[in-house]
Amino acid sequence: MKQIFLDTETTGLDSAKDRIIEIGAVAFQDRNEVKGEAANWHHYIDPERSVSAEAVKIHGIKDAMLKGKPKFSQVADELLNFIRGHEVVMHNAEFDVGFLDRHLADCDRGPLIKHVAKITDSLQLARKLYPHSRHSLDALAHRFGLDLAKLRHTHGALIDAKLLATVYFLMTSGQTTLSLQTPIATDYAAGKSKTVFKLHRLSEDTAARKRHDEYLRVMHETTEVKPLAMDDKQTK
């Protein structure tokens, strides 16, 4: 099963009346970007209505750019073939799924979840990992030190899908499980391990310590694995 990172751009924010004008998706297998023709899927789409001025300010896509582009019904099967049976990751999935479900229903293709193995919302993951921070894709990119000025000047579905993949893998790169059946873990638990753990001391800055403690607490709650650097009072 692949992970498909997907983003849409629309004529506005209301899925009941606005329409999709761009879809971008990029495929990964085992955290590595798929190569060749199967690497990504991208289309501009004729929404059969005008793009709102507010939306143009966000993504820069004007009506003239969509003239002659295919309608959603003409690319629906191609999109479904690209994502079918895989996990689809979106940032604020409720927004994208709302639009996609309506468009798929209009051409008798049923809801998105009918075609994919799983829908993952990276926004919900970010809120769980960083409860006291901003959770937009841009804010997360800044958190991880990504240079947005070099990555993009305006929002675009394929550009944002690739940015989402980068941010998602950075969010999920930490320890998630600990098997006590491994020789190292078994020896460590019995006090026989020869493994040397390098200790990195925290800054004396109070705010930095609080952020560190909060990160460990959320990691513990999310993964049910107690970090080695976490003391007992943090679990209470």
Side-chain angles (χ1 to χ4, degrees):
M1 183 174 65
K2 298 174 185 174
Q3 282 182 307
I4 309 293
F5 295 85
L6 187 147
D7 186 65
T8 64
E9 300 297 346
T10 62
T11 61
L13 300 178
D14 188 349
S15 62
K17 64 178 183 180
D18 286 305
R19 305 288 293 182
I20 292 173
I21 57 175
E22 183 187 13
I23 303 175
V26 58
F28 281 75
Q29 183 87 54
D30 298 325
R31 301 175 76 90
N32 293 306
E33 187 171 0
V34 173
K35 304 299 181 182
E37 293 183 0
N40 57 66
W41 189 91
H42 176 252
H43 261 294
Y44 288 103
I45 295 168
D46 179 3
E48 301 180 89
R49 69 195 61 192
S50 298
V51 183
S52 69
E54 292 77 11
V56 172
K57 290 178 183 179
I58 296 173
H59 48 58
I61 303 172
K62 300 179 180 180
D63 293 337
M65 298 170 62
L66 303 172
K67 187 176 181 180
K69 300 300 181 184
K71 298 176 177 59
F72 181 87
S73 60
Q74 294 174 299
V75 300
D77 288 333
E78 189 179 322
L79 170 63
L80 293 176
N81 288 336
F82 186 78
I83 65 177
R84 184 173 284 111
H86 302 301
E87 176 185 5
V88 177
V89 183
M90 294 169 277
H91 201 69
N92 191 11
E94 183 179 359
F95 177 85
D96 296 292
V97 171
F99 276 90
L100 288 166
D101 278 357
R102 182 191 168 202
H103 284 54
L104 289 168
D106 287 346
C107 54
D108 298 320
R109 296 299 187 274
L112 180 67
I113 192 61
K114 172 184 173 183
H115 303 277
V116 301
K118 180 182 180 181
I119 295 174
T120 297
D121 190 349
S122 55
L123 175 60
Q124 296 303 319
L125 174 62
R127 285 172 174 168
K128 183 178 289 188
L129 290 174
Y130 318 116
H132 304 301
S133 302
R134 292 181 297 123
H135 306 109
S136 70
L137 193 56
D138 283 13
L140 291 169
H142 285 301
R143 181 185 188 93
F144 292 116
L146 301 179
D147 190 344
L148 283 175
K150 291 183 178 180
L151 293 172
R152 61 161 156 75
H153 298 291
T154 60
H155 289 271
L158 187 58
I159 294 172
D160 280 1
K162 291 182 177 180
L163 177 61
L164 171 58
T166 301
V167 168
Y168 181 84
F169 289 133
L170 287 169
M171 284 199 297
T172 59
S173 63
Q175 177 188 16
T176 57
T177 60
L178 175 63
S179 172
L180 296 181
Q181 302 304 314
T182 64
I184 291 178
T186 303
D187 288 348
Y188 182 77
K192 302 176 182 178
S193 175
K194 296 180 180 179
T195 302
V196 176
F197 293 93
K198 185 176 181 180
L199 178 64
H200 294 273
R201 297 195 176 279
L202 287 173
S203 163
E204 294 300 322
D205 179 65
T206 302
R209 284 179 172 271
K210 286 183 178 179
R211 290 195 298 271
H212 174 76
D213 291 346
E214 177 64 14
Y215 182 82
L216 293 182
R217 183 189 66 77
V218 173
M219 181 189 293
H220 183 223
E221 291 180 355
T222 304
T223 67
E224 299 182 354
V225 175
K226 182 179 176 182
L228 293 174
M230 188 174 192
D231 59 43
D232 291 335
K233 67 182 179 180
Q234 288 176 264
T235 66
K236 296 179 182 179

